[in-house]
Amino acid sequence: MGASPRGGAYIEHPSGSSIFLFGLFLLLSSIVVHACPKMCHCSERNGMVVQCTSHNLESIPSNLPKDTVVLLLSSNRIRHIPKEAFAELHCLRELDVSHNSLESVEVGAFQGVSDSLRILDLSNNQLSSLPKDTFTKLHARVRLSNNPWHCDCSMQEVLRELSLDPETVSEFSCHTSVQEEYTGQPVIQVLDSGINFCNFHHRTTDVAMFVAMFCWFFMVTSYIVYYIKHNQEDARRHMEYLKSLPSTSHISKDCDTASSVF
């Protein structure tokens, strides 16, 4: 009953148990792919949309569906995005981490989604600086507005690696700056005016090196002057000592007198 002849050969048909196991495997695979993290709401809209907003989350959920295309994590308490936080979400197109407490983003945080990601929202956080290679190879439009940014050479180098969202670029400002006159001004406006924070950094370094060399030269010169004066004083004392000794002629005359007596 389990096989039927065909052309002199027997073809074995799958049993009921094999079909059941295969169906169970597909079901489990589907559950793994589409499992929704606790405290999040998942819906299917041309891909998985995962909404985890306003749930006091302190970290990125670890069991996100692998077919996630939109991930909404705004209005939580996330302070850090670690390396490869979204590495398995190869379909991710939109990521919103706005209105959190973000203070740092590791290099490689967006590894695995750099090709697919189109919108990245990091606005309204506590970011003041980022590593130079944070956005390497990222093609998304990035929102960085309303963070306490420190404008310096590192910030300028970060901007070379990304495309800013034009709708929020005017709200991306220098909270502090290596040059005080640019504090409070939009970053792009400052850079478009021709300011180069990296050149300023180099000039500051050059001045610091000059000051250090001047101090070193002053110390060496002071030591040489002290050494010469100290030796002159010793020489003067030695000369005074020699002068205080009886002269050689006087000693010879006394010796001659003593000889004549004898």
Side-chain angles (χ1 to χ4, degrees), residues 172-196:
F172 174 35
S173 303
C174 299
H175 183 72
T176 57
S177 174
V178 291
Q179 294 175 271
E180 290 297 329
E181 60 267 34
Y182 301 116
T183 299
Q185 296 188 27
V187 176
I188 300 304
Q189 179 180 320
V190 172
L191 296 178
D192 286 346
S193 68
I195 298 302
N196 190 327

Side-chain angles (χ1 to χ4, degrees), residues 54-70:
S54 304
H55 285 299
N56 292 320
L57 297 177
E58 296 183 355
S59 60
I60 308 295
S62 59
N63 56 335
L64 293 165
K66 293 183 179 180
D67 58 344
T68 299
V69 294
V70 177

Side-chain angles (χ1 to χ4, degrees), residues 70-115:
V70 177
L71 178 56
L72 307 176
L73 296 168
S74 62
S75 302
N76 284 291
R77 296 189 296 171
I78 300 172
R79 300 179 61 183
H80 175 69
I81 301 180
K83 182 178 180 180
E84 299 182 351
F86 315 99
E88 297 184 355
L89 308 182
H90 302 296
C91 301
L92 189 64
R93 294 198 303 266
E94 180 179 345
L95 174 61
D96 185 356
V97 201
S98 63
H99 294 89
N100 274 271
S101 303
L102 273 182
E103 297 176 350
S104 61
V105 179
E106 282 189 25
V107 173
F110 307 108
Q111 185 174 330
V113 298
S114 56
D115 292 330

Side-chain angles (χ1 to χ4, degrees), residues 41-58:
H41 174 73
C42 300
S43 59
E44 180 70 32
R45 285 182 288 177
N46 296 322
M48 188 63 66
V49 176
V50 182
Q51 185 174 0
C52 307
T53 58
S54 304
H55 285 299
N56 292 320
L57 297 177
E58 296 183 355

Side-chain angles (χ1 to χ4, degrees), residues 236-249:
R236 185 184 64 78
R237 291 177 182 175
H238 184 66
M239 290 298 296
E240 290 179 353
Y241 171 75
L242 291 177
K243 289 179 181 179
S244 67
L245 295 175
S247 64
T248 305
S249 60

